[in-house]
Amino acid sequence: MTEKNTPQEYIARNKENFLAGWFEALRIPSVSALSEHKDDMRRMAEWLRNRLSSAGLAARLVPTGGNPLVVASSPEIPGRPTILVYGHYDVQPVDPLDQWKSEPFEPTIRGGNVFCRGADDDKGQSLAHLFAAESILAARGELPVCLKFVYEGEEEIGSMSLESYLQSEEGRATLAADAILVSDTDMAGPDTPAITNGLRGILGCEIKLTGPSHDLHSGLYGGSVLNPAVALCALLGKLIDRNGKIQVPGFYDDVVTLTEADREAFAMRPFDEKSAYAEIGLKQSFGEPQFTVLERRGARPTFDINGLTSGYQGEGGKTIIPSTASAKLTFRMVPNQNPAQLFENLRAYLAEQLWPGVEMTITGSQMSSGFLVPLDSPFIQAAARGIERVFGKAPLFIRDGGSIPVVSTLASALGADVILAGFGVEEDAIHSPNEHYALESFYRGIEASVAILEELGAMKYER
Amino acid sequence: MTEKNTPQEYIARNKENFLAGWFEALRIPSVSALSEHKDDMRRMAEWLRNRLSSAGLAARLVPTGGNPLVVASSPEIPGRPTILVYGHYDVQPVDPLDQWKSEPFEPTIRGGNVFCRGADDDKGQSLAHLFAAESILAARGELPVCLKFVYEGEEEIGSMSLESYLQSEEGRATLAADAILVSDTDMAGPDTPAITNGLRGILGCEIKLTGPSHDLHSGLYGGSVLNPAVALCALLGKLIDRNGKIQVPGFYDDVVTLTEADREAFAMRPFDEKSAYAEIGLKQSFGEPQFTVLERRGARPTFDINGLTSGYQGEGGKTIIPSTASAKLTFRMVPNQNPAQLFENLRAYLAEQLWPGVEMTITGSQMSSGFLVPLDSPFIQAAARGIERVFGKAPLFIRDGGSIPVVSTLASALGADVILAGFGVEEDAIHSPNEHYALESFYRGIEASVAILEELGAMKYER
C-alpha cells in the first residue's frame, strides 16, 4: 500500500529506531531547575546535535550563559518558506519521587504509553520533527522547505539564554524564519487534533517574609510576635476570593472580553467535565462561575501557589514561631495583559496588605505575555491540511491555558507566525509524577510533521 | 567561709564533676520527635538512672509504650514532706542546622554560656536537682525531705507515656508527693529570680488539605481547580486578625479577666521592650493592643503556625497546582479554657470556612489546660525562702506563656502543689538554634535546689 521510498515508508520501517532514539533522550535527566544536572544538560544538547547531524542537517551548539542552544538548518530552497522548529530539551524536576510508579528517568511502557519525565513535555513531542526531517531526507534526499531547528535547555526555568540570543543580530539571523513550528501543546482530545492559536502568559515570583532573627519558642513569645507563616497566610489568603477572582487592583483591566465566536470555539471542544475531574481525583471544579471550565483554563487569568515553606516540616511537632515563611507564586495572563505592569500592581498591593512586623521580599522569576495567532495565516492553514491528512479530520483551533513564554518572543523577534501543533493530551500528566506519552501519539506526531512540512512546501509562497 | 562538709562546700569542690556530667548528658541527642533517635532516648534514660543511683537514690527505668520513664526515691522520713522532682530528658529537634554556630550536640562554652540543644531545656535546668541531692547526700548522708524523681522522655511530643502512667494506680503510688518541684521555666530576668505560678495550656494539631490526586500543571488546569495551598492560606488567614484576635467562635468565652493585681504583677517584672525585641531582630511587637507584651505572653491565648508545607520547595520554580498543603498549628490556652472543647470549635469553624474543592483532615497532637498555683501554698512559700537565700532577693511570682502540659496532669493526679522554680532566661533560645544556658545559672540552680529542699524540710508540715 505504502509508496516505495516515501517518508511514510521510512517511518514504517524505522519504528524501532525512533523508539530507541527517544528512549536515549529520555534517559538523560535534563532537569534545568537543579544545578546538579548541569552536565546532563550538555549531554542532552550534544545528543540532539549529533542526531540532527546524522539526519543530514548542519547542526551545532551555541554556547550561552546557561545551557547551550542546539541550532540546525537545511540548505535554503528558493521559492520555499523557511520553517523554524522550536523545542526544548529540559524537563521539570521529578519530585514527589515516591509517587512515581516506575523510575522517572527510565522509560517504561505500560498500556501503550511510555512513562518517563519528558516523555511528552517536550522530548516526545519535539523529536517528532527531528525524526520527520530524518525520514524525508532519507526517502527523498531533500526537504520540501528550508528547515531550521532550535532546541533550548531552559524552557522550564524562563528561557533566559534563548531570550538573550534573540536580542542579538546573530541570533535573529540564525533563527530567521517565516513560521515557527512548535509541538508543546495538547490536542483537543485523544482523537481530536488541534492547533493552538492562543497561549496564556505567565508571571512568576517568590515571596519571602522574615520575622524574628531565629525561630522562637511559641510559648514564651506567642501572642506578642507576628508569626511570618501567619502573616503569609493572611497575605496570600486575600489574593483571590472563593469565586476565583483575583483581588489585585487593575488585574482585569486589560483582559479582552470573550466574543460569542470565542465562546463557541470553546464549547465545540469535546470535554466531559465530570470524567475529566474524576480522572484527577476531584468532585468539582473551582473558579469564576460566569465562565466554563475550558474558558477559565484557556482565556482567563489565574493565580496559583506552587509551593509553601515555613518552619518545622518533619515528623511530629515543634512549638516554634518560625523565623521566615515563603511562597512560590505564578499568575497566568491572557493576551493583552502586561505582566510587568501587573507585577508592579501586585507588589504594591501586597506591600499595602502586609501586616506590620515582618519584612517582605518579592523576587520576580518568569514574565511573559499571552498571545493569539490569526487563524487566516496561510502557514496555519497549510499545517491544518497536513494534520487532516494524517488524522482524517480537520484540527480544532483552541486556546490553551499553558504558557510557552519564549514563543511570544520568537514570534515578535522573527516576525513569524507560530504554528502550535501539539500531539499530547491533557491526561499525559506533564510536570507531574508518572508523566507519559502514548506510543501512538509519538508515531502519529512524526507522520503529522512530515505531512505539515509537505503542505508548507506546497503552499503558494512569496517572501 | 564555707562550713566544712556542707552541701554548699561539696558543690564548690565538685564544679568540674557537675560540668562533666552535664556535658555527658548534652552529648546524647535525645530528640523525641524523630524516631531515628530511639536508641539515644534509652541511652539518656540509662544515664540518668545510673547517676541517680550513684547519688544514693533507689532508681529504675519504667518501661512504657514510648520512651522509658526514669523514677527514683529516697527513704521516707516521718514528719517530712514528700517532694517529687519532675524533669524531661528529651529535647527539641535541631533544625535549621545551618543556623547553629557550633555542633548542636557538642556543648561549647562561649562567653560564660554553654551552647547545646538541651543546655537549658531541660537538661541544664533539671540536673540541678539531681546534683543538689547528690551534694546533700554526700555532705550529710541524708536528705531533708523524702525526695522522688521522675524524668520523662516525651515532654516535647506530648508526654503520652507519663500521662498514661498517671492513669495507673501503680504510677500514682510511685509518684505520690505533697509537692512537685520543676525547673523548666525562666526567671523574670538575668538577676531576678522567679517562681512561675501560672502556665499556659496548649492545643496542637496538623491540618492537611488534599485536592487533585497528583500535582497538576498550573497552565493547563489553573483557574479551574482549587489549589490546596491557596485554600490553606485562605483558611488560616482567617483564623486571627491583624490585632491578634483569634476568630474561632467562643474562643475567649472562658478566659478569666485579668485583675488589677494580676496586671500589677506583670508590670513589676523587669522588661525593656525595645531591647528585648532588638535582641530577636524585631522592631515592633504584635498582638492584642489592649494588653501589654508580658500580659499577651503570660495570660492571653494565642495562635501560631509552626510549619507550612506544600508543593515545590526546591531551587527555582515549578509551575504546578500542588496536590496537598498542610500546616502544623498550636494554640496556647490560659487557665480555665478547655482545650478539648476549643478543638471541637476549631474543627467546626474550619470546616465551615473551608472552600469547597479540597478535603480537610485535622489531627490533634497535644492538648493540655493552663493552670495557676495559689500563692499562699506553704510549699511555694518555702521554695521562695530557699531561692531568696541563694539570690539575696525574693523571687517574683510570674505567669509564663509556655506550657508544660504534663505538669497540670501531675498536679491533679497527685493532688500536689506545683513549684515552678526555673533558672533559665528568655534569651537562652530554647527550641531555637544556638540554645544556651549560663554556667552561672547552672551552678546557681544546684545551690538554689539545695536551699529549696532544706526550706521544704524545715517547714511545719502535717500530712
Side-chain angles (χ1 to χ4, degrees), chain A residues 95 200 215 219 304 318 432, chain B residues 95 200 215 219 227 318 432:
Chain A
D95 62 285
R200 291 197 284 196
D215 294 350
D304 272 297
K318 191 169 175 208
S432 300
Chain B
D95 62 285
R200 293 196 283 197
D215 294 349
N227 180 316
K318 192 169 176 208
S432 298

Side-chain angles (χ1 to χ4, degrees), chain B residues 67-87:
Chain B
N67 300 317
L69 300 170
V70 186
V71 298
S73 59
S74 66
E76 198 162 325
I77 309 170
R80 300 285 175 85
T82 300
I83 306 298
L84 173 69
V85 168
Y86 163 84

Side-chain angles (χ1 to χ4, degrees), chain A residues 92 95 200 213 215 218-219 224 227 277 280 297 304 306 308-310 313-314 316 318 320 328 332 432, chain B residues 92 95 200 213 215 218-219 224 227 277 280 297 304 306 308-310 313-314 316 318 320 328 332 432:
Chain A
Q92 282 276 317
D95 62 285
R200 291 197 284 196
S213 52
D215 294 350
S218 69
S224 70
N227 181 315
Y277 277 86
I280 52 171
R297 294 183 184 179
D304 272 297
N306 313 120
L308 281 178
T309 306
S310 183
Q313 303 187 51
K318 191 169 175 208
I320 53 166
K328 294 179 198 280
R332 299 284 167 165
S432 300
Chain B
Q92 282 276 318
D95 62 285
R200 293 196 283 197
S213 52
D215 294 349
S218 69
S224 71
N227 180 316
Y277 278 85
I280 52 173
R297 293 184 186 178
D304 273 298
N306 312 120
L308 282 177
T309 306
S310 182
Q313 304 187 49
K318 192 169 176 208
I320 53 166
K328 293 179 199 280
R332 299 283 167 166
S432 298

Side-chain angles (χ1 to χ4, degrees), chain A residues 192-214:
Chain A
T192 311
I195 288 178
T196 298
N197 71 309
L199 280 177
R200 291 197 284 196
I202 193 166
L203 167 58
C205 64
E206 185 155 349
I207 294 184
K208 184 173 184 180
L209 301 186
T210 303
S213 52
H214 57 270

Side-chain angles (χ1 to χ4, degrees), chain B residues 409-421:
Chain B
T409 314
L410 274 169
S412 62
L414 307 178
D417 281 1
V418 176
I419 307 162
L420 290 166

Side-chain angles (χ1 to χ4, degrees), chain A residues 33-36 92-96 99 117 121 156-157 186 200 202 206 210-227 229-230 232-238 240-243 276-288 293 296-297 300-323 325-326 328 330 332 352-359 366 400-403 425-427 429-433, chain B residues 33-36 92-96 99 117 121 156-157 186 200 202 206 210-227 229-230 232-238 240-243 276-288 293 296-297 300-323 325-326 328 330 332 352-359 366 400-403 425-427 429-433:
Chain A
L34 301 172
S35 48
E36 71 205 66
Q92 282 276 317
V94 297
D95 62 285
Q99 289 182 25
R117 171 57 84 230
D121 180 18
E156 304 292 5
I157 56 170
D186 284 342
R200 291 197 284 196
I202 193 166
E206 185 155 349
T210 303
S213 52
H214 57 270
D215 294 350
L216 301 176
H217 188 293
S218 69
L220 301 187
Y221 291 91
S224 70
V225 164
L226 178 56
N227 181 315
V230 170
L232 186 71
C233 288
L235 189 65
L236 299 183
K238 278 190 210 105
I240 189 169
D241 72 10
R242 64 190 291 151
N243 286 323
Y277 277 86
E279 177 86 18
I280 52 171
L282 292 175
K283 292 194 192 83
Q284 62 193 117
S285 73
F286 172 80
E288 299 171 295
V293 162
R296 292 177 216 162
R297 294 183 184 179
R300 295 295 298 171
T302 68
F303 161 61
D304 272 297
I305 299 177
N306 313 120
L308 281 178
T309 306
S310 183
Y312 185 66
Q313 303 187 51
E315 200 184 337
K318 191 169 175 208
T319 49
I320 53 166
I321 298 172
S323 168
S326 61
K328 294 179 198 280
T330 45
R332 299 284 167 165
E352 186 190 297
Q353 297 292 322
L354 185 70
W355 292 356
V358 291
E359 299 290 323
Q366 297 185 71
D400 185 84
S403 311
V425 290
E426 186 178 311
E427 293 75 17
I430 68 168
H431 293 210
S432 300
Chain B
L34 301 172
S35 48
E36 69 205 67
Q92 282 276 318
V94 298
D95 62 285
Q99 290 182 25
R117 171 58 83 231
D121 180 17
E156 304 292 5
I157 55 170
D186 284 343
R200 293 196 283 197
I202 193 167
E206 186 155 349
T210 303
S213 52
H214 58 271
D215 294 349
L216 300 176
H217 188 294
S218 69
L220 300 188
Y221 292 91
S224 71
V225 164
L226 178 56
N227 180 316
V230 169
L232 187 71
C233 288
L235 189 65
L236 299 182
K238 277 189 213 108
I240 190 170
D241 72 11
R242 63 190 291 152
N243 286 323
Y277 278 85
E279 177 86 18
I280 52 173
L282 292 176
K283 292 195 193 82
Q284 63 193 112
S285 74
F286 172 80
E288 298 171 295
V293 163
R296 289 177 217 163
R297 293 184 186 178
R300 296 293 300 171
T302 68
F303 161 61
D304 273 298
I305 299 176
N306 312 120
L308 282 177
T309 306
S310 182
Y312 184 66
Q313 304 187 49
E315 198 185 338
K318 192 169 176 208
T319 49
I320 53 166
I321 298 172
S323 169
S326 62
K328 293 179 199 280
T330 46
R332 299 283 167 166
E352 185 190 297
Q353 297 292 321
L354 185 70
W355 292 356
V358 292
E359 299 290 323
Q366 298 185 71
D400 186 83
S403 312
V425 290
E426 186 176 312
E427 294 74 18
I430 68 169
H431 292 211
S432 298

